[in-house]
Amino acid sequence: MKLSISKVTAPLLHKPCQNLRATNHSPPYSSFHTGTARAATPLPLPTAVGPPPAAPLPAASQYGERVDRRRRQAELLKRGQDLRASHMKPGSALKKRFWKDVHVKTAPEGHHTVHLDGRPVRAPTTKSVLPIPPSKPHLASAIALEWDLLVSAQQALKQHHIPLTSIASRAYDIALQDKGQAPGDARQEMVTMLMRYLDTDTLLCWAPARSQHDAMQLEESEDRANKSLREIQIRMAQPIISYLTKNIWPGIEIKPVLDDGSIVPASQPQETKDVIRGWISGLGPWELAGLERAVLAGKSLCVAARLVVEWSENFRFVGDTAGETSKAPKFGIEEAAEACSLEVSWQTGMWGEVEDSHDVDKEDLRRQFGSVILIVSGTS
């Protein structure tokens, strides 16, 4: 006997519907048209006309508060380092300071040496005692000071903790190689490296002329009224170029490496390159080491040469014939840093600086230039 599926399932399908109609329950939802209608409130259209408002001006940097905060952080860091050093295991010798006093001694030959208690500071490459020339006692005192500020021997393995020791060791290695007492030819490698910076010199990279796409703030700035970034760069570069071409490299022509609207650096004339290369090759070991440090810090060979010549004891008579040395102001750390970071100062002055970034770079640049002045200057 066969049963139809529709006959079996029909009562089951119709029974819920019958119960729903019998109980007369309302469905568990409501229609949209049953709600209370509310009229929309239109917003007023903006009526202001003209260009958009200018960007907010950067707030004045609170250098005093920032320095105090950094000083407190440095004190806390030193306390933590001292605390960790007091709980070190006996085997961790590098994490402890094995010397108590740092002092400078003068050898019978006249040169100065820095001693950690009874141990002399040695050059890292030759392992020989690092001698400081007799005419540079201030450099020996500065090296002793940076070793006295270290809290562990491990810090001495990092060059940024001992910048003066590293640059003095660099100069001493060059002096030994010039005498044939050490292998290598660091002088020729340095000359080749330094000449590469001439075609991309920061001092000679000038921004394009002012255009209609410049920000409105460039026109409204009080201290830069009617002066574009290119004009300020030219005004900064001309005295330095004039000094170099008159007193250091006479008869050569130094051209801007980026002309107006160009993005490809232009090479200097071959005669200019030959004269500058010969001048660098003839520098003394201490001047060459200082020039390398200044070029790597400021990315400018012209600014580095100007700084080295201004402070080197071997160039102290440059410009004296015309009385320029007594009349012109000293070209020091601030002048060199401003010439190398003019575009960065322009941008941060307009848009503001990033804390712990721009300010750190600014101080580190001055620290590097300060080490250059110490390494090349002397009392003779």
Side-chain angles (χ1 to χ4, degrees):
M1 179 178 177
K2 296 182 179 181
L3 297 177
S4 175
I5 297 177
S6 59
K7 292 181 180 180
V8 176
T9 58
L12 298 176
L13 294 175
H14 289 286
K15 187 174 181 180
C17 297
Q18 294 174 357
N19 293 339
L20 181 60
R21 289 194 298 268
T23 56
N24 195 20
H25 285 173
S26 60
Y29 57 83
S30 60
S31 302
F32 286 106
H33 67 271
T34 59
T36 305
R38 296 181 180 179
T41 303
L43 297 176
L45 295 176
T47 58
V49 295
L57 296 177
S61 300
Q62 302 297 331
Y63 289 106
E65 298 178 0
R66 192 176 304 173
V67 170
D68 293 339
R69 185 174 69 254
R70 299 275 177 81
R71 186 178 293 109
R72 291 193 298 268
Q73 292 175 353
E75 292 176 357
L76 293 176
L77 179 61
K78 189 177 185 304
R79 291 178 185 176
Q81 291 173 343
D82 294 341
L83 184 62
R84 288 193 298 269
S86 61
H87 293 84
M88 290 297 174
K89 297 179 180 179
S92 56
L94 288 177
K95 296 183 179 180
K96 295 188 297 183
R97 172 171 165 163
F98 59 83
W99 65 92
K100 293 183 178 180
D101 299 323
V102 183
H103 50 275
V104 178
K105 291 183 179 180
T106 303
E109 297 82 4
H111 61 263
H112 310 284
T113 55
V114 179
H115 290 256
L116 312 179
D117 293 338
R119 303 179 180 89
V121 174
R122 299 177 179 272
T125 53
T126 60
K127 305 303 181 183
S128 58
V129 178
L130 179 62
I132 307 300
S135 62
K136 301 181 186 296
H138 52 279
L139 176 61
S141 300
I143 293 177
L145 178 61
E146 71 178 8
W147 279 89
D148 195 31
L149 294 176
L150 299 181
V151 298
S152 66
Q154 191 173 17
Q155 289 183 339
L157 302 177
K158 300 177 181 179
Q159 292 188 0
H160 63 273
H161 285 297
I162 49 173
L164 293 174
T165 305
S166 63
I167 192 174
S169 301
R170 179 70 161 167
Y172 180 58
D173 293 341
I174 297 172
L176 291 180
Q177 293 177 7
D178 290 344
K179 297 177 182 178
Q181 300 177 4
D185 191 6
R187 176 179 290 274
Q188 186 59 38
E189 295 174 359
M190 293 170 66
V191 171
T192 303
M193 182 271 296
L194 294 174
M195 288 301 298
R196 297 195 190 104
Y197 282 88
L198 183 61
D199 290 336
T200 57
D201 198 296
T202 301
L203 186 71
L204 305 177
C205 292
W206 299 342
R210 184 183 302 170
S211 67
Q212 60 180 350
H213 303 292
D214 289 340
M216 187 181 302
Q217 288 79 356
L218 301 183
E219 305 291 341
E220 298 176 352
S221 178
E222 296 179 357
D223 55 342
R224 302 186 178 102
N226 301 323
K227 289 184 178 63
S228 64
L229 175 59
R230 180 183 179 85
E231 294 170 345
I232 297 178
Q233 288 175 326
I234 294 175
R235 187 180 62 182
M236 175 69 69
Q238 282 180 344
I240 300 176
I241 296 175
S242 176
Y243 183 91
L244 295 175
T245 55
K246 183 179 180 181
N247 299 293
I248 310 304
W249 310 318
I252 69 171
E253 181 184 8
I254 299 179
K255 299 180 179 180
V257 298
L258 284 182
D259 201 357
D260 189 10
S262 175
I263 60 174
V264 179
S267 181
Q268 297 292 338
Q270 187 61 40
E271 181 182 359
T272 300
K273 292 183 178 181
D274 294 339
V275 171
I276 296 178
R277 182 185 296 273
W279 180 81
I280 297 175
S281 301
L283 290 176
W286 298 89
E287 282 75 20
L288 185 58
L291 183 69
E292 180 190 35
R293 171 68 62 85
V295 170
L296 294 177
K299 307 299 183 293
S300 173
L301 179 60
C302 294
V303 174
R306 179 71 177 89
L307 185 67
V308 169
V309 170
E310 181 72 30
W311 293 93
S312 173
E313 57 181 343
N314 295 326
F315 291 95
R316 60 186 180 275
F317 297 119
V318 172
D320 280 352
T321 56
E324 296 178 0
T325 304
S326 58
K327 296 179 182 179
K330 275 282 190 179
F331 188 83
I333 297 175
E334 291 298 329
E335 290 76 12
E338 183 181 2
C340 291
S341 57
L342 184 58
E343 186 173 357
V344 177
S345 301
W346 171 275
Q347 298 290 346
T348 56
M350 183 168 50
W351 307 111
E353 66 179 19
V354 179
E355 188 176 356
D356 293 332
S357 177
H358 290 114
D359 52 346
V360 173
D361 294 340
K362 184 187 304 182
E363 296 302 324
D364 182 68
L365 181 61
R366 285 156 174 78
R367 181 176 70 102
Q368 300 289 351
F369 285 151
S371 65
V372 173
I373 292 177
L374 282 173
I375 203 72
V376 301
S377 59
T379 58
S380 61

